[in-house]
Amino acid sequence: MAGAGDFGVRDLEPGDHDPVQSLVAAAFAQADEAELVEAVRRSGDVLFELVAETAQGLAGHILFCRGRIETETSSGDRFRETAILGEMAVAPDQQNSGIGAALLHAGLTRLDDRAEAITFVVGHPDYYGRFGFTADAAKPFSCKWQGPAFMARIGEPQDWMSEGGFLHFPEPYDRFE
Ligand SMILES: CC(C)(COP(=O)(O)OP(=O)(O)OC[C@H]1O[C@@H](n2cnc3c(N)ncnc32)[C@H](O)[C@@H]1OP(=O)(O)O)[C@@H](O)C(=O)NCCC(=O)NCCS
């Protein structure tokens, strides 16, 4: 594993799209996840994307998107918008050198600045648990990927959170079982 050395985190720019596709495909060792990133962009549900950059080029990427929580009320169904950590990837030769952590910290700070109530992720509990995501916080909610990988991080606690509901991901995630 090569060390990442110096890197910076910044907002994604249009010129980053191609390098990000390559990076995501390499990190996941297959093209599906890179295609998903493009499809989520097309869906219009991206909240923001950040990249980590070294002198050699892009080394990491993170994407937050909009989800919708569906709750049943006496007057029908209600949808509430929320945040989802939709995808993150670090270049294989730069992993385990803090780039993922820096992207996550920057992203979560941005969400806190926006006063996002709660952010969901489906991912590795050992990794995301380090950043405040817990299966417990997601317990009132359900989604297509139920289980220990379904986690949430509470930003600004709100009364409605205890009601729970079903979390809908942006439509492109429907292709993933
Ligand atoms: C998961 C990923 C984004 C983490 O980014 P990173 O820059 O490598 O991670 P960091 O340097 O911030 O953190 C390294 C720590 O996370 C741990 N870690 C890395 N990947 C992990 C995983 N998949 N599950 C659990 N822990 C993991 C490492 O063991 C290391 O632990 P240590 O600090 O105790 O040594 C990156 O490894 C990656 O792109 N992996 C392939 C794609 C992927 O799985 N994306 C996430 C989908 S949920």
Side-chain angles (χ1 to χ4, degrees):
M1 179 199 69
D6 286 341
F7 65 91
V9 172
R10 61 167 173 78
D11 283 285
L12 179 106
E13 293 167 4
D16 299 324
H17 285 192
D18 285 348
V20 164
Q21 296 319 108
S22 308
L23 190 157
V24 175
F28 286 88
Q30 39 117 328
D32 282 11
E33 202 81 15
E35 286 165 14
L36 175 69
V37 168
E38 279 192 341
V40 177
R41 282 190 195 128
R42 282 197 299 272
S43 76
D45 282 324
V46 171
L47 286 179
F48 60 90
E49 293 175 73
L50 303 174
V51 292
E53 191 171 41
T54 68
Q56 285 72 45
L58 292 195
H61 169 253
I62 193 165
L63 178 153
F64 292 88
C65 59
R66 186 53 79 199
R68 292 172 183 82
I69 299 168
E70 183 177 3
T71 41
E72 279 178 35
T73 67
S74 49
S75 51
D77 290 343
R78 184 183 55 207
F79 288 86
R80 200 185 286 277
E81 294 200 331
T82 190
I84 294 174
L85 197 180
E87 183 277 328
M88 76 176 290
V90 171
D93 63 348
Q94 313 259 14
Q95 290 176 4
N96 299 315
S97 30
I99 292 178
L103 284 166
L104 260 164
H105 282 304
L108 296 175
T109 300
R110 181 82 60 96
L111 292 170
D112 288 344
D113 289 347
R114 297 165 57 112
E116 286 289 343
I118 183 165
T119 303
F120 294 89
V121 70
V122 176
H124 307 289
D126 289 348
Y127 189 66
Y128 293 105
R130 299 175 180 201
F131 304 94
F133 288 90
T134 63
D136 211 42
K139 228 172 209 150
F141 304 91
S142 56
C143 81
K144 193 174 160 183
W145 299 277
Q146 216 54 40
F150 178 48
M151 293 169 281
R153 172 187 177 269
I154 293 171
E156 294 268 319
Q158 307 283 333
D159 289 345
W160 58 261
M161 287 179 184
S162 58
E163 291 170 23
F166 185 86
L167 174 66
H168 294 271
F169 281 63
E171 180 277 327
Y173 289 86
D174 289 347
R175 71 179 76 159
F176 289 88
E177 289 309 317

